[in-house]
Amino acid sequence: MWLTAGESVASKTSRDVLSRGLGVLRQAIREQPRIFAVAVVGSVLFGGMIIVSARVVGSVIGEVALPAIERGEVGAGTLALAAAALFGISVLRVAGIFGRRLGAGYMQYRLQASYRRRVTRRYLELPLSWHHRNSTGTLLSNANSDVEAAWYPIAPLPFAVGTLVMLVGAIVSLFATDWALALVGLAVFPALFALNVVYSRRMAPRQARAQRLRAEVSGIAHESFDGALVVKTMGREAQETARFAGRAGELRDSLIAVGRLRGIFDPLLETLPSLGTLAVLVVGAFRLRQGAISVTELVSVAFLFTVLAFPVRAIGWVLAELPRSVAGWDRVRRVLDATGEMPYGQRVLDPAGAGPATLTFTDVHYSYPPAEAHPPGAQVLGEVGFTVPSGKTVALVGPTGAGKSTIASLAVRLVDPDSGTVSLDGVDVRELTSASLAGTVALVAQVPFIFDDTVRANIALDRPGVDDEVVWAALRLAEADGFVAALPDGLDTMVGERGTSLSGGQRQRLTLARALAGRPRLLVLDDATSAVDPRVEAAILAGLRSSTTQAGVPAASILVVAYRRATIALADEVIYVEQGRVVARGTHTELLATVPGYVDLVTAYEQAEVERAQESSYGDDVAPLPSGLEIEVDR
């Protein structure tokens, strides 16, 4: 079981955080070596010019300004030469800054974009069981703020590397100037580094906790927005507001703790170089009286300590951000290292022109993973075996919790069986390529999902060959062409987030048309027309059972999870399941005559339909479902 990033980082020693943080930086350098090299060259150029500028400033003051003051005149040529030298150094420093910042920024943003793509790709590879164990807010945080946090130290990293080179050069320059002044430098520079290490150690748990709370705040916000209907109808606005405010307050306090620590250490980091400059002036004045150094050398060293204050801070910036980087990296790696993906094979089925596909379940067993099962390891399906013949319609009927939606998920390979096989045209679905499986089977789920886009975009999904003719043919087959034609802009009508401008039945028919537009050879309907009027549903199923090709939308085999008597009666065969097992099969009439449980269930469904019809006043479709309402899928 994974630890949260906050727990994993906060419990580690500062040395471990430092070593792991440096490991994250090494990973960044391995992935972007050329860009990093450009940034470091710019930073080293900047640092080198600082050391050179200290020498030049010392020479200008000691060899140009002071002699000019003593003589009472300034030589124009000497002054021009000094100005040219300072200007040249400034130009090189600007070039170094430009290279350093451009390289660091480009490197950081490329890494963030790359890992956002990797995390998103991994989300799509992992099975639904993994997604069920992770909240949407956490997943959004992984792909956004956690990726940003992981690579946040990249911006100051080249500057810090250049600063280290500069510090080595500065110490060498100090020893070349005077041993006493060099000792001052040896005292100040390690003190700066030690202070940065202490800062990093204190900052680690605070940054880790803040990163964890960011994900939790995001998760609560997503739940509240997505479940707006439940919150309002249950009168939970105040409680949800308080829940969000409580966690947001914790995040605020955590970030304040981070800021408070920075407020303590930042002045110290600023003060040390200033104290070093003061020490240099005191020791330098003494050494100057002794004749050990010149005014030029004293000014150069004092100026060097003055301008070193800002670059040395870059090391502190990197060390301060390492705990946050490690926290973000842990959370990103948790996704990238997650297991459970379902690899695809290399087999390819015949295209749609080959006719409807045959679906076969052979002795299929399935249990939900321990994290999802109640009790753990409980079997959902056992010894399930049946066939959906080519071009036929098979209805799957059973009480709640019988495993109907699980069978539908297995048919389209959202999950794999523990044992047994699910095959299409005699080929195990695990042996098929992803493209072949997607081109052969289409699932229309119980809860329709509509993108915040046009009707055309929702149905076509930018699939090749799905032009307006195919779109309209699919709409006609889904009995949706009438209401789409009546929309203000027809196919170009924006339907809103989750299709909020449409009724429940309209959304279901659009998702059905979307599936049909892909020309599937097997159509799996998981109670996909529950919000549609029974008469419209009967017309849809009658059209789907047609053996003729309609305007580019071929007929398909159909596996339908059904509840209504009218729907079930249209099927060529009915599979009746109880407690994850097939207990009876035959036509609707045969099961009514031989299976008491089936009779009771269908009668109960029919009575519920009658009562709903009597209470409904919405006509053709069930009333629109406001955004945020989620219907639990019967698994």
Side-chain angles (χ1 to χ4, degrees), residues 223-278:
E223 283 184 350
S224 298
F225 302 153
D226 212 33
L229 179 66
V230 176
V231 171
K232 285 185 171 295
T233 56
M234 296 296 178
R236 301 293 296 175
E237 295 95 332
Q239 289 79 1
E240 281 299 299
T241 301
R243 185 165 75 105
F244 180 84
R247 198 52 53 99
E250 290 184 40
L251 176 59
R252 175 204 61 207
D253 295 341
S254 179
L255 293 175
I256 288 175
V258 170
R260 185 182 297 116
L261 189 63
R262 283 179 173 167
I264 294 173
F265 276 87
D266 279 358
L268 295 178
L269 292 171
E270 291 281 358
T271 301
L272 269 179
S274 300
L275 293 177
T277 302
L278 181 61

Short mmCIF file of all heavy atoms in Angstrom, two decimals, residues 223-278:
data_model
loop_
_atom_site.label_atom_id
_atom_site.label_comp_id
_atom_site.label_asym_id
_atom_site.label_seq_id
_atom_site.Cartn_x
_atom_site.Cartn_y
_atom_site.Cartn_z
N GLU A 223 -15.24 17.05 -5.74
CA GLU A 223 -16.42 16.33 -5.27
C GLU A 223 -17.61 17.26 -5.09
O GLU A 223 -18.74 16.94 -5.47
CB GLU A 223 -16.11 15.64 -3.94
CG GLU A 223 -15.28 14.38 -4.08
CD GLU A 223 -15.08 13.69 -2.74
OE1 GLU A 223 -15.41 14.28 -1.70
OE2 GLU A 223 -14.59 12.55 -2.75
N SER A 224 -17.36 18.43 -4.52
CA SER A 224 -18.46 19.38 -4.26
C SER A 224 -19.06 19.88 -5.56
O SER A 224 -20.28 19.98 -5.69
CB SER A 224 -17.94 20.55 -3.42
OG SER A 224 -17.49 20.10 -2.16
N PHE A 225 -18.21 20.19 -6.54
CA PHE A 225 -18.71 20.71 -7.81
C PHE A 225 -19.42 19.61 -8.59
O PHE A 225 -20.48 19.83 -9.17
CB PHE A 225 -17.57 21.29 -8.64
CG PHE A 225 -16.83 22.40 -7.96
CD1 PHE A 225 -15.50 22.66 -8.26
CD2 PHE A 225 -17.44 23.17 -6.99
CE1 PHE A 225 -14.81 23.67 -7.62
CE2 PHE A 225 -16.76 24.19 -6.33
CZ PHE A 225 -15.44 24.44 -6.65
N ASP A 226 -18.82 18.42 -8.62
CA ASP A 226 -19.38 17.33 -9.40
C ASP A 226 -20.67 16.82 -8.78
O ASP A 226 -21.55 16.32 -9.47
CB ASP A 226 -18.36 16.20 -9.50
CG ASP A 226 -18.46 15.44 -10.81
OD1 ASP A 226 -18.80 16.08 -11.83
OD2 ASP A 226 -18.22 14.23 -10.81
N GLY A 227 -20.77 16.92 -7.46
CA GLY A 227 -21.97 16.45 -6.78
C GLY A 227 -22.87 17.58 -6.36
O GLY A 227 -23.55 17.51 -5.32
N ALA A 228 -22.91 18.65 -7.19
CA ALA A 228 -23.68 19.84 -6.82
C ALA A 228 -25.15 19.52 -6.59
O ALA A 228 -25.79 20.06 -5.68
CB ALA A 228 -23.53 20.90 -7.92
N LEU A 229 -25.71 18.62 -7.39
CA LEU A 229 -27.14 18.31 -7.25
C LEU A 229 -27.42 17.65 -5.90
O LEU A 229 -28.37 18.02 -5.20
CB LEU A 229 -27.58 17.37 -8.38
CG LEU A 229 -29.05 16.95 -8.33
CD1 LEU A 229 -29.96 18.15 -8.56
CD2 LEU A 229 -29.33 15.86 -9.34
N VAL A 230 -26.57 16.70 -5.52
CA VAL A 230 -26.76 16.02 -4.23
C VAL A 230 -26.59 17.01 -3.08
O VAL A 230 -27.37 17.02 -2.12
CB VAL A 230 -25.76 14.86 -4.09
CG1 VAL A 230 -25.88 14.22 -2.71
CG2 VAL A 230 -26.00 13.82 -5.17
N VAL A 231 -25.58 17.86 -3.19
CA VAL A 231 -25.33 18.84 -2.13
C VAL A 231 -26.54 19.74 -1.94
O VAL A 231 -26.98 20.01 -0.82
CB VAL A 231 -24.07 19.67 -2.46
CG1 VAL A 231 -23.92 20.82 -1.47
CG2 VAL A 231 -22.83 18.78 -2.43
N LYS A 232 -27.12 20.22 -3.04
CA LYS A 232 -28.23 21.15 -2.94
C LYS A 232 -29.51 20.47 -2.48
O LYS A 232 -30.23 20.96 -1.62
CB LYS A 232 -28.45 21.85 -4.29
CG LYS A 232 -27.41 22.91 -4.61
CD LYS A 232 -27.75 23.64 -5.88
CE LYS A 232 -26.82 24.84 -6.07
NZ LYS A 232 -27.03 25.85 -5.00
N THR A 233 -29.81 19.32 -3.08
CA THR A 233 -31.07 18.65 -2.73
C THR A 233 -31.06 18.11 -1.32
O THR A 233 -32.11 17.95 -0.70
CB THR A 233 -31.36 17.52 -3.72
OG1 THR A 233 -30.26 16.59 -3.74
CG2 THR A 233 -31.60 18.05 -5.12
N MET A 234 -29.88 17.81 -0.79
CA MET A 234 -29.78 17.31 0.57
C MET A 234 -29.53 18.43 1.59
O MET A 234 -29.37 18.16 2.78
CB MET A 234 -28.65 16.28 0.69
CG MET A 234 -28.90 15.03 -0.14
SD MET A 234 -30.35 14.11 0.44
CE MET A 234 -30.40 12.78 -0.75
N GLY A 235 -29.48 19.66 1.09
CA GLY A 235 -29.27 20.78 2.00
C GLY A 235 -27.93 20.76 2.70
O GLY A 235 -27.82 21.16 3.86
N ARG A 236 -26.88 20.32 1.98
CA ARG A 236 -25.56 20.16 2.59
C ARG A 236 -24.60 21.29 2.20
O ARG A 236 -23.39 21.15 2.35
CB ARG A 236 -24.94 18.83 2.16
CG ARG A 236 -25.76 17.60 2.51
CD ARG A 236 -25.83 17.38 4.00
NE ARG A 236 -24.52 17.11 4.55
CZ ARG A 236 -24.28 16.97 5.85
NH1 ARG A 236 -25.27 17.10 6.72
NH2 ARG A 236 -23.06 16.73 6.30
N GLU A 237 -25.14 22.43 1.71
CA GLU A 237 -24.25 23.50 1.27
C GLU A 237 -23.34 23.98 2.40
O GLU A 237 -22.13 24.14 2.21
CB GLU A 237 -25.07 24.69 0.73
CG GLU A 237 -25.86 24.39 -0.52
CD GLU A 237 -27.29 23.99 -0.20
OE1 GLU A 237 -27.53 23.44 0.90
OE2 GLU A 237 -28.17 24.22 -1.05
N ALA A 238 -23.91 24.21 3.56
CA ALA A 238 -23.12 24.73 4.67
C ALA A 238 -22.06 23.73 5.11
O ALA A 238 -20.90 24.09 5.38
CB ALA A 238 -24.04 25.08 5.85
N GLN A 239 -22.46 22.44 5.17
CA GLN A 239 -21.51 21.41 5.61
C GLN A 239 -20.36 21.25 4.60
O GLN A 239 -19.20 21.11 4.99
CB GLN A 239 -22.22 20.07 5.80
CG GLN A 239 -23.15 20.02 7.00
CD GLN A 239 -24.50 20.69 6.74
OE1 GLN A 239 -24.75 21.20 5.64
NE2 GLN A 239 -25.36 20.70 7.76
N GLU A 240 -20.70 21.26 3.29
CA GLU A 240 -19.66 21.13 2.28
C GLU A 240 -18.74 22.35 2.28
O GLU A 240 -17.53 22.23 2.12
CB GLU A 240 -20.29 20.95 0.89
CG GLU A 240 -20.78 19.56 0.61
CD GLU A 240 -19.66 18.54 0.66
OE1 GLU A 240 -18.71 18.64 -0.14
OE2 GLU A 240 -19.73 17.63 1.52
N THR A 241 -19.35 23.53 2.48
CA THR A 241 -18.54 24.74 2.57
C THR A 241 -17.59 24.67 3.76
O THR A 241 -16.41 25.03 3.66
CB THR A 241 -19.44 25.98 2.68
OG1 THR A 241 -20.29 26.04 1.54
CG2 THR A 241 -18.61 27.24 2.77
N ALA A 242 -18.12 24.18 4.87
CA ALA A 242 -17.27 24.06 6.07
C ALA A 242 -16.17 23.03 5.87
O ALA A 242 -15.03 23.22 6.31
CB ALA A 242 -18.14 23.69 7.28
N ARG A 243 -16.51 21.92 5.20
CA ARG A 243 -15.50 20.89 4.95
C ARG A 243 -14.37 21.43 4.07
O ARG A 243 -13.19 21.22 4.35
CB ARG A 243 -16.15 19.68 4.28
CG ARG A 243 -15.22 18.49 4.09
CD ARG A 243 -16.02 17.24 3.77
NE ARG A 243 -16.52 17.22 2.42
CZ ARG A 243 -16.01 16.48 1.43
NH1 ARG A 243 -14.96 15.71 1.67
NH2 ARG A 243 -16.55 16.49 0.24
N PHE A 244 -14.76 22.15 3.02
CA PHE A 244 -13.75 22.73 2.14
C PHE A 244 -12.95 23.81 2.88
O PHE A 244 -11.72 23.87 2.77
CB PHE A 244 -14.41 23.33 0.91
CG PHE A 244 -13.44 23.95 -0.06
CD1 PHE A 244 -12.79 23.15 -0.99
CD2 PHE A 244 -13.18 25.31 -0.04
CE1 PHE A 244 -11.88 23.71 -1.88
CE2 PHE A 244 -12.28 25.87 -0.93
CZ PHE A 244 -11.64 25.06 -1.84
N ALA A 245 -13.66 24.64 3.64
CA ALA A 245 -12.99 25.73 4.36
C ALA A 245 -11.99 25.17 5.38
O ALA A 245 -10.90 25.73 5.57
CB ALA A 245 -14.01 26.62 5.06
N GLY A 246 -12.37 24.06 6.03
CA GLY A 246 -11.47 23.46 7.00
C GLY A 246 -10.17 22.99 6.38
O GLY A 246 -9.07 23.27 6.88
N ARG A 247 -10.28 22.29 5.23
CA ARG A 247 -9.07 21.79 4.58
C ARG A 247 -8.29 22.93 3.93
O ARG A 247 -7.06 22.94 3.95
CB ARG A 247 -9.43 20.73 3.55
CG ARG A 247 -8.26 19.85 3.13
CD ARG A 247 -7.57 19.24 4.36
NE ARG A 247 -8.50 18.55 5.22
CZ ARG A 247 -8.68 17.24 5.22
NH1 ARG A 247 -7.99 16.50 4.41
NH2 ARG A 247 -9.53 16.69 6.06
N ALA A 248 -9.01 23.92 3.37
CA ALA A 248 -8.34 25.08 2.80
C ALA A 248 -7.60 25.86 3.90
O ALA A 248 -6.52 26.41 3.66
CB ALA A 248 -9.34 25.98 2.09
N GLY A 249 -8.19 25.90 5.08
CA GLY A 249 -7.53 26.55 6.20
C GLY A 249 -6.25 25.83 6.60
O GLY A 249 -5.24 26.47 6.92
N GLU A 250 -6.29 24.50 6.58
CA GLU A 250 -5.08 23.73 6.87
C GLU A 250 -3.99 24.03 5.84
O GLU A 250 -2.82 24.17 6.18
CB GLU A 250 -5.39 22.24 6.88
CG GLU A 250 -6.23 21.78 8.07
CD GLU A 250 -6.43 20.28 8.05
OE1 GLU A 250 -5.48 19.55 7.72
OE2 GLU A 250 -7.55 19.83 8.35
N LEU A 251 -4.39 24.12 4.56
CA LEU A 251 -3.42 24.44 3.52
C LEU A 251 -2.87 25.84 3.73
O LEU A 251 -1.66 26.07 3.58
CB LEU A 251 -4.08 24.33 2.15
CG LEU A 251 -3.21 24.73 0.95
CD1 LEU A 251 -1.95 23.87 0.88
CD2 LEU A 251 -4.00 24.61 -0.34
N ARG A 252 -3.75 26.77 4.08
CA ARG A 252 -3.29 28.14 4.35
C ARG A 252 -2.26 28.15 5.49
O ARG A 252 -1.19 28.75 5.37
CB ARG A 252 -4.49 29.00 4.74
CG ARG A 252 -4.16 30.43 5.18
CD ARG A 252 -5.26 30.97 6.06
NE ARG A 252 -5.42 30.17 7.26
CZ ARG A 252 -6.57 30.05 7.95
NH1 ARG A 252 -7.64 30.67 7.53
NH2 ARG A 252 -6.61 29.30 9.04
N ASP A 253 -2.58 27.46 6.59
CA ASP A 253 -1.66 27.43 7.72
C ASP A 253 -0.34 26.77 7.35
O ASP A 253 0.73 27.18 7.80
CB ASP A 253 -2.30 26.68 8.89
CG ASP A 253 -3.52 27.40 9.44
OD1 ASP A 253 -3.66 28.61 9.18
OD2 ASP A 253 -4.35 26.75 10.12
N SER A 254 -0.43 25.72 6.50
CA SER A 254 0.79 25.04 6.08
C SER A 254 1.67 25.96 5.24
O SER A 254 2.89 26.01 5.41
CB SER A 254 0.42 23.78 5.30
OG SER A 254 1.58 23.10 4.87
N LEU A 255 1.03 26.70 4.33
CA LEU A 255 1.80 27.62 3.48
C LEU A 255 2.34 28.79 4.30
O LEU A 255 3.44 29.30 4.01
CB LEU A 255 0.92 28.13 2.35
CG LEU A 255 0.50 27.07 1.32
CD1 LEU A 255 -0.48 27.66 0.31
CD2 LEU A 255 1.72 26.50 0.61
N ILE A 256 1.58 29.20 5.31
CA ILE A 256 2.09 30.26 6.19
C ILE A 256 3.32 29.77 6.95
O ILE A 256 4.30 30.52 7.14
CB ILE A 256 0.99 30.72 7.17
CG1 ILE A 256 -0.08 31.52 6.42
CG2 ILE A 256 1.57 31.56 8.30
CD1 ILE A 256 -1.27 31.91 7.26
N ALA A 257 3.29 28.51 7.38
CA ALA A 257 4.45 27.93 8.06
C ALA A 257 5.67 27.93 7.14
O ALA A 257 6.79 28.21 7.56
CB ALA A 257 4.14 26.51 8.53
N VAL A 258 5.43 27.61 5.85
CA VAL A 258 6.52 27.66 4.88
C VAL A 258 7.04 29.10 4.75
O VAL A 258 8.25 29.34 4.77
CB VAL A 258 6.03 27.13 3.50
CG1 VAL A 258 7.07 27.41 2.42
CG2 VAL A 258 5.77 25.64 3.58
N GLY A 259 6.11 30.04 4.61
CA GLY A 259 6.52 31.44 4.48
C GLY A 259 7.21 31.97 5.72
O GLY A 259 8.17 32.75 5.63
N ARG A 260 6.74 31.53 6.91
CA ARG A 260 7.37 31.98 8.15
C ARG A 260 8.82 31.51 8.23
O ARG A 260 9.72 32.26 8.64
CB ARG A 260 6.57 31.46 9.34
CG ARG A 260 7.09 31.99 10.68
CD ARG A 260 6.30 31.41 11.84
NE ARG A 260 4.90 31.82 11.78
CZ ARG A 260 3.87 30.99 11.61
NH1 ARG A 260 4.09 29.69 11.46
NH2 ARG A 260 2.65 31.44 11.58
N LEU A 261 9.04 30.24 7.84
CA LEU A 261 10.40 29.71 7.87
C LEU A 261 11.29 30.46 6.88
O LEU A 261 12.45 30.77 7.18
CB LEU A 261 10.39 28.22 7.53
CG LEU A 261 11.71 27.48 7.72
CD1 LEU A 261 12.13 27.48 9.17
CD2 LEU A 261 11.59 26.04 7.22
N ARG A 262 10.73 30.76 5.71
CA ARG A 262 11.50 31.55 4.75
C ARG A 262 11.80 32.93 5.31
O ARG A 262 12.89 33.49 5.10
CB ARG A 262 10.73 31.66 3.45
CG ARG A 262 10.78 30.41 2.60
CD ARG A 262 9.99 30.57 1.34
NE ARG A 262 10.16 29.43 0.45
CZ ARG A 262 9.42 29.17 -0.61
NH1 ARG A 262 8.42 29.98 -0.92
NH2 ARG A 262 9.66 28.12 -1.36
N GLY A 263 10.82 33.50 6.01
CA GLY A 263 11.02 34.81 6.60
C GLY A 263 12.14 34.83 7.63
O GLY A 263 12.79 35.87 7.83
N ILE A 264 12.36 33.70 8.29
CA ILE A 264 13.45 33.61 9.28
C ILE A 264 14.80 33.44 8.59
O ILE A 264 15.79 34.08 8.94
CB ILE A 264 13.19 32.45 10.26
CG1 ILE A 264 11.94 32.75 11.10
CG2 ILE A 264 14.40 32.21 11.15
CD1 ILE A 264 11.50 31.60 11.97
N PHE A 265 14.85 32.54 7.60
CA PHE A 265 16.13 32.19 7.01
C PHE A 265 16.59 33.17 5.94
O PHE A 265 17.80 33.35 5.75
CB PHE A 265 16.06 30.78 6.43
CG PHE A 265 16.31 29.70 7.44
CD1 PHE A 265 15.28 29.19 8.20
CD2 PHE A 265 17.59 29.21 7.64
CE1 PHE A 265 15.52 28.20 9.14
CE2 PHE A 265 17.84 28.22 8.57
CZ PHE A 265 16.80 27.71 9.33
N ASP A 266 15.65 33.79 5.23
CA ASP A 266 16.06 34.71 4.16
C ASP A 266 16.94 35.85 4.68
O ASP A 266 17.98 36.16 4.07
CB ASP A 266 14.82 35.28 3.45
CG ASP A 266 14.28 34.30 2.42
OD1 ASP A 266 14.89 33.22 2.26
OD2 ASP A 266 13.24 34.60 1.79
N PRO A 267 16.57 36.53 5.79
CA PRO A 267 17.47 37.58 6.30
C PRO A 267 18.85 37.05 6.70
O PRO A 267 19.86 37.73 6.50
CB PRO A 267 16.71 38.12 7.51
CG PRO A 267 15.29 37.79 7.25
CD PRO A 267 15.31 36.48 6.54
N LEU A 268 18.87 35.82 7.24
CA LEU A 268 20.16 35.24 7.62
C LEU A 268 21.03 34.99 6.39
O LEU A 268 22.24 35.26 6.40
CB LEU A 268 19.94 33.93 8.38
CG LEU A 268 19.24 34.05 9.74
CD1 LEU A 268 19.04 32.66 10.35
CD2 LEU A 268 20.06 34.92 10.69
N LEU A 269 20.39 34.49 5.34
CA LEU A 269 21.14 34.22 4.11
C LEU A 269 21.61 35.52 3.46
O LEU A 269 22.62 35.54 2.76
CB LEU A 269 20.26 33.43 3.13
CG LEU A 269 19.93 31.99 3.57
CD1 LEU A 269 18.88 31.38 2.64
CD2 LEU A 269 21.19 31.13 3.56
N GLU A 270 20.85 36.59 3.67
CA GLU A 270 21.26 37.89 3.15
C GLU A 270 22.37 38.50 4.00
O GLU A 270 23.25 39.21 3.49
CB GLU A 270 20.06 38.85 3.12
CG GLU A 270 18.98 38.51 2.10
CD GLU A 270 19.38 38.95 0.70
OE1 GLU A 270 20.46 39.54 0.54
OE2 GLU A 270 18.60 38.67 -0.23
N THR A 271 22.32 38.23 5.30
CA THR A 271 23.23 38.89 6.23
C THR A 271 24.65 38.32 6.16
O THR A 271 25.63 39.06 6.28
CB THR A 271 22.69 38.76 7.67
OG1 THR A 271 21.40 39.36 7.73
CG2 THR A 271 23.62 39.44 8.67
N LEU A 272 24.77 36.99 5.99
CA LEU A 272 26.09 36.37 6.02
C LEU A 272 27.08 36.98 5.03
O LEU A 272 28.21 37.31 5.41
CB LEU A 272 25.98 34.86 5.81
CG LEU A 272 25.81 34.01 7.07
CD1 LEU A 272 25.69 32.54 6.72
CD2 LEU A 272 27.00 34.23 8.01
N PRO A 273 26.70 37.14 3.74
CA PRO A 273 27.65 37.78 2.83
C PRO A 273 28.01 39.21 3.25
O PRO A 273 29.15 39.65 3.07
CB PRO A 273 26.91 37.77 1.49
CG PRO A 273 25.95 36.64 1.59
CD PRO A 273 25.50 36.66 3.02
N SER A 274 27.03 39.92 3.83
CA SER A 274 27.31 41.28 4.29
C SER A 274 28.31 41.25 5.46
O SER A 274 29.22 42.09 5.53
CB SER A 274 26.01 41.97 4.73
OG SER A 274 25.11 42.04 3.65
N LEU A 275 28.12 40.28 6.35
CA LEU A 275 29.10 40.13 7.44
C LEU A 275 30.47 39.76 6.88
O LEU A 275 31.51 40.19 7.41
CB LEU A 275 28.61 39.07 8.42
CG LEU A 275 27.35 39.42 9.23
CD1 LEU A 275 26.95 38.23 10.11
CD2 LEU A 275 27.60 40.66 10.09
N GLY A 276 30.46 38.94 5.81
CA GLY A 276 31.73 38.59 5.17
C GLY A 276 32.41 39.81 4.59
O GLY A 276 33.64 39.96 4.70
N THR A 277 31.62 40.71 3.98
CA THR A 277 32.20 41.94 3.43
C THR A 277 32.79 42.80 4.53
O THR A 277 33.89 43.36 4.40
CB THR A 277 31.11 42.73 2.68
OG1 THR A 277 30.55 41.91 1.65
CG2 THR A 277 31.68 44.00 2.07
N LEU A 278 32.08 42.90 5.66
CA LEU A 278 32.58 43.68 6.80
C LEU A 278 33.87 43.08 7.34
O LEU A 278 34.84 43.80 7.64
CB LEU A 278 31.51 43.73 7.90
CG LEU A 278 31.87 44.51 9.16
CD1 LEU A 278 32.13 45.97 8.83
CD2 LEU A 278 30.74 44.40 10.19
#
